[in-house]
């Protein structure tokens, strides 16, 4: 089964992103034929600062590689390294009814927020369809907000196939049912816009400072504490195994330690968890050309598939003469 994931290169790198999106994506390489790319063309719909976009793109690639994308297992590239996707985007535009795009939630939401729409934003789902269809993707794992976009890709593929025969593979979306919401330091969903995040790659000092800001009740140190309602514990659950959790529960019940102790313990746990990834990242940050090499070789692999598919598409649509 071939899975395809597109990742917008944004600056966000907190443990909510990691457990909510990055880790499940990286794990796909163990069970599927995994394809993943940095969607830098899509990011142009919200970022016109070229320097920032280039930096974000390399940064996102570096982070994904550091956190476990294995280029031997996942075909991993940057969207703009395969310009064929823009050719397919044009071809597919001719099989995309205006109404299909006018009904897209993400487009409508942005317009409702007062963002003045340009054609890039409007046709965003067509480019996403090209991403998906160019590589014969069977399953597209997405968050809830992207389901409709995969359905649009499928609709476009059906229209194309109705005209030319079974050429494009019809994709299906997949959402991770058992994915829990990752709580932030105030217990609400961890999100940059709520200002309640814990960053992955930060200094130990910053991490401890952040841990100390986790919101708790005011149970005094010598009283037993309720771990089931505690934000520290909720975050610790992401990192600890069963035995470690039982031990922590005992400490909550023991009434010998205060929340301050648990916060410092959590900071330590998070720090240790990311230690190997941090080391890998230091290496890639010092050798950005290694990252570029990996991306280039991923693009070469993906491009071979793109070329084969485009060949068929050019033949039936008449752009090859
Ligand atoms: N639109 C997706 C998002 O914002 C990113 C994306 C672009 C994508 N192309 C894709 C996701 C193809 C899956 C498949 O999250």
């Amino acid at each position: 089964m071939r899975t395809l994931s597109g990742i917008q290169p944004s600056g966000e790198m907190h443990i909510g992103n990691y457990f909510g999106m990055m880790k499940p994506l990286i794990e796909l390489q163990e069970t599927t034929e995994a394809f993943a790319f940095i969607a830098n063309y899509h990011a142009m719909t919200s970022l016109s600062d070229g320097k920032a976009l280039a930096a974000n793109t390399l940064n996102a690639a570096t982070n994904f590689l550091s956190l476990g994308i294995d280029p031997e297992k996942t075909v991993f590239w940057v969207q703009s390294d395969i310009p064929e996707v823009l050719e397919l985007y044009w071809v597919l535009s001719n099989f995309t009814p205006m109404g299909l795009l006018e009904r897209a939630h993400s487009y409508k939401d942005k317009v409702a927020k007062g963002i003045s729409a340009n054609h890039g934003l409007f046709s965003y789902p067509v480019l996403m369809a090209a991403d998906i269809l160019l590589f014969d993707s069977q399953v597209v794992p997405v968050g809830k907000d992207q389901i409709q976009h995969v359905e649009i890709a499928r609709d476009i593929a059906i229209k194309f196939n109705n005209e030319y025969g079974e050429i494009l593979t019809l994709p299906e979306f997949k959402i991770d049912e058992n994915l829990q919401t990752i709580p932030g330091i105030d217990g609400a969903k961890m999100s940059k816009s709520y200002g309640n995040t814990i960053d992955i790659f930060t200094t130990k000092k910053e991490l401890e400072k952040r841990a100390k800001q986790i919101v708790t009740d005011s149970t005094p140190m010598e009283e037993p504490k309720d771990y089931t309602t505690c934000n520290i514990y909720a975050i610790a659950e992401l990192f600890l195994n069963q035995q470690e959790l039982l031990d922590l529960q005992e400490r909550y019940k023991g009434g010998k330690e205060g929340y301050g102790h648990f916060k410092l313990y959590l900071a330590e746990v998070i720090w240790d968890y990311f230690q190997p990834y941090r080391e890998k990242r230091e290496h890639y940050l010092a050798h950005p050309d290694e990252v570029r090499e990996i991306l280039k070789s991923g693009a070469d692999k993906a491009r071979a598939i793109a070329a084969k598919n485009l060949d068929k598409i050019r033949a039936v649509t008449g752009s090859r003469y």
Side-chain angles (χ1 to χ4, degrees):
M1 175 177 79
R2 181 172 297 166
T3 54
L4 175 111
S5 313
I7 307 135
Q8 283 234 30
S10 80
E12 285 205 45
M13 272 311 288
H14 52 71
I15 62 176
N17 302 134
Y18 178 70
F19 288 101
M21 187 271 283
M22 305 177 86
K23 189 163 177 271
L25 189 158
I26 291 164
E27 281 167 356
L28 286 172
Q29 68 194 8
E30 307 305 339
T31 50
T32 73
E33 191 192 349
F35 280 47
F37 66 96
I38 308 292
N40 60 334
Y41 279 145
H42 278 102
M44 290 173 86
T45 61
S46 55
L47 183 62
S48 55
D49 179 340
K51 275 209 181 88
L53 180 56
N56 287 356
T57 300
L58 190 63
N59 191 32
T62 301
N63 287 336
F64 268 88
L65 289 169
S66 305
L67 289 165
I69 286 241
D70 176 349
E72 299 294 321
K73 294 181 179 167
T74 297
V75 181
F76 185 53
W77 73 97
V78 173
Q79 190 179 29
S80 61
D81 281 337
I82 306 192
E84 283 88 344
V85 75
L86 294 180
E87 182 176 340
L88 183 57
Y89 163 72
W90 174 251
V91 172
L92 297 179
S93 287
N94 297 287
F95 295 88
T96 310
M98 294 293 283
L100 195 60
L101 300 181
E102 280 159 357
R103 284 194 296 277
H105 303 307
S106 84
Y107 166 73
K108 288 202 295 191
D109 290 351
K110 284 184 182 135
V111 172
K113 274 191 200 144
I115 295 173
S116 79
N118 57 31
H119 180 255
L121 186 65
F122 186 64
S123 64
Y124 183 112
V126 188
L127 180 56
M128 184 157 157
D131 290 328
I132 294 169
L133 301 173
L134 188 56
F135 306 103
D136 295 323
S137 316
Q138 293 166 306
V139 173
V140 184
V142 287
K144 284 202 185 77
D145 62 319
Q146 297 295 317
I147 292 176
Q148 194 190 23
H149 286 159
V150 181
E151 289 173 336
I152 291 174
R154 196 180 164 89
D155 287 347
I156 296 173
I158 290 172
K159 275 194 164 290
F160 184 96
N161 286 352
N162 276 342
E163 187 72 30
Y164 299 116
E166 300 303 305
I167 291 189
L168 301 175
T169 301
L170 301 188
E172 271 165 38
F173 68 84
K174 182 179 146 252
I175 43 172
D176 198 337
E177 294 296 348
N178 41 32
L179 212 64
Q180 69 286 49
T181 315
I182 313 301
I185 61 168
D186 56 358
K189 176 182 155 70
M190 187 178 287
S191 161
K192 202 172 182 177
S193 51
Y194 298 158
N196 63 357
T197 59
I198 298 177
D199 287 341
I200 299 178
F201 295 122
T202 176
T203 62
K204 182 114 192 244
K205 235 184 149 144
E206 276 302 316
L207 183 59
E208 285 174 353
K209 196 170 133 198
R210 204 61 178 146
K212 285 182 191 153
Q213 293 166 342
I214 297 174
V215 179
T216 61
D217 62 29
S218 49
T219 312
M221 181 142 111
E222 53 294 343
E223 273 177 41
K225 292 163 197 72
D226 183 0
Y227 66 87
T228 62
T229 56
C230 180
N231 291 328
I232 307 168
Y233 187 88
I235 298 171
E237 271 190 304
L238 300 164
F239 294 93
L240 299 179
N241 65 31
Q242 211 44 47
Q243 187 54 51
E244 291 165 331
L245 283 173
L246 288 174
D247 293 346
L248 184 57
Q249 288 173 17
E250 287 311 310
R251 289 171 67 183
Y252 269 79
K253 291 180 207 155
K256 290 197 195 77
E257 295 173 281
Y259 288 122
H261 296 103
F262 302 145
K263 288 174 176 179
L264 281 180
Y265 169 66
L266 177 64
E268 195 70 33
V269 165
I270 297 176
W271 182 259
D272 290 346
Y273 184 95
F274 288 112
Q275 180 61 29
Y277 305 125
R278 198 158 35 240
E279 283 168 15
K280 225 166 153 188
R281 185 163 174 272
E282 290 303 324
H283 171 83
Y284 283 134
L285 288 178
H287 303 90
D289 284 343
E290 243 177 73
V291 176
R292 291 197 182 88
E293 253 330 288
I294 291 171
L295 293 169
K296 187 178 172 304
S297 112
D300 287 346
K301 285 185 214 159
R303 212 167 173 184
I305 297 167
K308 228 168 67 199
N309 280 332
L310 256 189
D311 216 43
K312 284 191 253 172
I313 292 164
R314 286 176 186 152
V316 296
T317 56
S319 63
R320 195 176 70 205
Y321 60 93

